[in-house]
Amino acid sequence: MDNKIRVFATCDIGEAIDLLRKRGYEVEVYPRPEAPPKSLIIDKVGSGIDGLITTLRDPIDAEVFEAGKGTLKVVAQIAVGFDNINRADANRYKIPFTHTADVLTEATAEFAFFMMGALARKMWTAEHLTRDNQWGYWHPYLPFLGDEVTGKTLAVIGTGRIGLAMIKKSVGFDMNVLCYDPAYENQAFVRTIQEVNELRHSRGLSKEKVSIRYVPFEEALDGADFVSVHVPLLRAEDSATPTYHLFNEKTLRLMRPTAYLINTSRGPVVDEKALARALRENWIAGAALDVYEKEPLPSDSPLRDPAIADRCRLFPHFASAARITRLSTDPDKGMAGRCAQGLIDVLEGNYGGDVAQMPYVVNKEAFK
Ligand code: NAD
């Protein structure tokens, strides 16, 4: 038996696979576009692979780690979110797992921003009008109008990497911003944005003075025209401030009837049944979603109700789906490159073999 490093990837991550092969790794890639069954992942891990490349579609828990006992050294996830990986199990088995934070921040935030615009300005409905030959006249308000984004108030729920990038993009649209984050308030960032806002106003680039501040959750929902969600999926057992069903009947009712919800975080952060009802009964003006409680979105989802189609935009977990962001082999630019580098760091013992020093490892606490 040779001593080649062996890796199994549950999906193709493009040229980054060649990069690993050029280093002498033996890499097997699951050839189909959908996720492999968990039993196959367990078989591959049980066959003695050193590294496993995963996506958010693969459930990684004690069963997988047990199969890799003594051989599996790293799980490299191509995503920033890692709610599919059981962190406590990884720690118990002392398996580091890596993710691809930062490189998808701007792409995800810009997609959230574009979703917000497409929803509020009714771009999908307007294009349908044209394509379906229903555009019969120009009229001041018929057949419908949209709402402007410029000058409105944006609530950013979760001011981590993507939430802050969303705020940066809102500056050019003269938006007031209400921030909410129970874990950390980045007041230095808020001051910087305020300085930029003041400069724009004093130099005549924006007509109205705008503001940015941290507020409690309820105040953010109550005061916003747009609510954009940028939290990790945290269940009650993971956090004192869980995000599972953070948006439910009670909290959706706190939003204004003219307000819009944008979710690019994780599907289970929003109770979809409650949201469908909120849209049907006009508690809120609309929602744009990139992520769902179950993915792909089931054909019988209440979100597909034709009665709400004009105010409910649905995207296929697409926010990071841009060419460079997804596939660049440069670990400072692409998820594929960062995923491969995370794997290499662990398997080749970079950083003096100190896992706690490796930048893309998530569960450092298990190695300190
Ligand atoms: P991050 O860890 O930098 O930021 C998350 C922020 O949420 C943190 O500041 C945290 O304190 C805050 N938070 C935690 N609990 C909260 C709560 N109860 N209420 C409000 N805020 C809370 O993560 P990030 O890089 O900004 O990514 C955020 C999430 O976006 C990821 O976890 C992932 O699930 C999702 N994501 C989706 C896509 C997509 O394609 N749709 C792409 C990238 C990321």
Side-chain angles (χ1 to χ4, degrees):
M1 227 174 83
D2 62 33
N3 54 0
K4 263 193 174 179
I5 290 176
R6 285 178 58 218
V7 172
F8 178 67
T10 66
C11 65
D12 185 18
I13 62 168
E15 287 173 16
I17 296 286
D18 304 329
L19 191 143
L20 294 173
R21 287 184 177 140
K22 276 190 199 128
R23 296 176 89 86
Y25 291 24
E26 196 179 292
V27 187
E28 186 190 349
V29 178
Y30 185 64
R32 300 180 58 86
E34 67 272 10
K38 189 176 178 195
S39 56
L40 184 96
I41 298 177
I42 291 171
D43 283 352
K44 295 294 174 191
V45 170
S47 77
I49 56 164
D50 304 275
L52 177 66
I53 292 176
T54 57
T55 72
L56 44 85
R57 314 172 303 177
D58 307 315
I60 305 299
D61 57 15
E63 254 187 302
V64 175
F65 297 124
E66 181 62 31
K69 228 173 162 180
T71 46
L72 183 69
K73 296 173 190 67
V74 60
V75 174
Q77 164 106 336
I78 181 159
V80 57
F82 47 80
D83 40 278
N84 58 306
I85 299 176
N86 187 312
R87 186 173 191 151
D89 288 350
N91 289 356
R92 214 150 25 87
Y93 283 86
K94 289 239 171 298
I95 303 295
F97 66 92
T98 66
H99 71 155
T100 62
D102 297 312
V103 288
L104 42 53
T105 295
E106 299 297 334
T108 305
E110 79 175 17
F111 198 82
F113 208 90
F114 297 153
M115 282 167 66
M116 179 167 78
L119 172 66
R121 297 301 305 271
K122 297 203 183 295
M123 289 188 176
W124 186 82
T125 338
E127 183 170 348
H128 264 281
L129 192 78
T130 317
R131 288 190 178 280
D132 300 346
N133 265 326
Q134 299 298 315
W135 174 27
Y137 43 76
W138 189 99
H139 183 280
Y141 58 84
L142 293 176
F144 48 74
L145 295 176
D147 289 314
E148 302 82 352
V149 169
T150 302
K152 296 286 179 61
T153 297
L154 168 68
V156 174
I157 309 303
T159 56
R161 290 170 289 249
I162 300 171
L164 296 186
M166 182 75 176
I167 294 173
K168 275 198 302 180
K169 298 186 192 319
S170 76
V171 169
F173 285 75
D174 305 332
M175 297 187 88
N176 291 290
V177 180
L178 301 172
C179 312
Y180 170 68
D181 196 312
Y184 175 63
E185 296 197 346
N186 194 335
Q187 297 293 353
F189 180 87
V190 163
R191 276 194 300 277
T192 304
I193 295 291
Q194 193 57 49
E195 279 173 32
V196 175
N197 285 341
E198 280 161 19
L199 183 68
R200 285 171 54 82
H201 181 66
S202 70
R203 300 286 173 90
L205 290 184
S206 58
K207 268 197 245 159
E208 307 284 337
K209 277 196 171 174
V210 293
S211 69
I212 173 168
R213 63 201 161 96
Y214 274 94
V215 294
F217 185 53
E218 291 73 16
E219 207 179 305
L221 298 193
D222 180 50
D225 301 302
F226 298 95
V227 175
S228 190
V229 192
H230 302 284
V231 299
L233 172 59
L234 299 169
R235 297 180 192 270
E237 58 271 27
D238 304 324
S239 166
T241 51
T243 58
Y244 177 78
H245 282 192
L246 185 63
F247 287 84
N248 51 45
E249 266 209 24
K250 187 165 159 247
T251 53
L252 286 166
R253 283 184 189 277
L254 296 177
M255 289 174 61
R256 297 176 180 181
T258 51
Y260 296 93
L261 178 71
I262 294 99
N263 185 20
T264 53
S265 67
R266 282 290 181 267
V269 172
V270 176
D271 176 348
E272 287 174 3
K273 254 199 185 143
L275 175 63
R277 186 167 167 214
L279 293 171
R280 264 195 324 269
E281 298 179 8
N282 303 307
W283 311 348
I284 66 173
L289 308 171
D290 188 43
V291 286
Y292 306 92
E293 295 202 66
K294 190 165 186 291
E295 295 180 8
L297 185 66
S299 56
D300 61 352
S301 165
L303 296 169
R304 293 184 186 271
D305 182 353
I308 56 171
D310 63 332
R311 62 206 103 118
C312 184
R313 300 279 59 78
L314 305 172
F315 298 96
H317 205 138
F318 214 60
S320 70
R323 253 181 264 282
I324 294 170
T325 301
R326 280 280 174 88
L327 290 183
S328 171
T329 55
D330 180 343
D332 289 329
K333 293 194 176 131
M335 295 163 68
R338 188 157 282 209
C339 175
Q341 191 59 49
L343 189 92
I344 290 167
D345 283 349
V346 177
L347 293 180
E348 298 186 14
N350 291 344
Y351 300 87
D354 183 354
V355 173
Q357 299 299 319
M358 297 178 188
Y360 313 142
V361 169
V362 175
N363 57 335
K364 293 191 168 72
E365 69 276 7
F367 304 93
K368 279 185 178 149

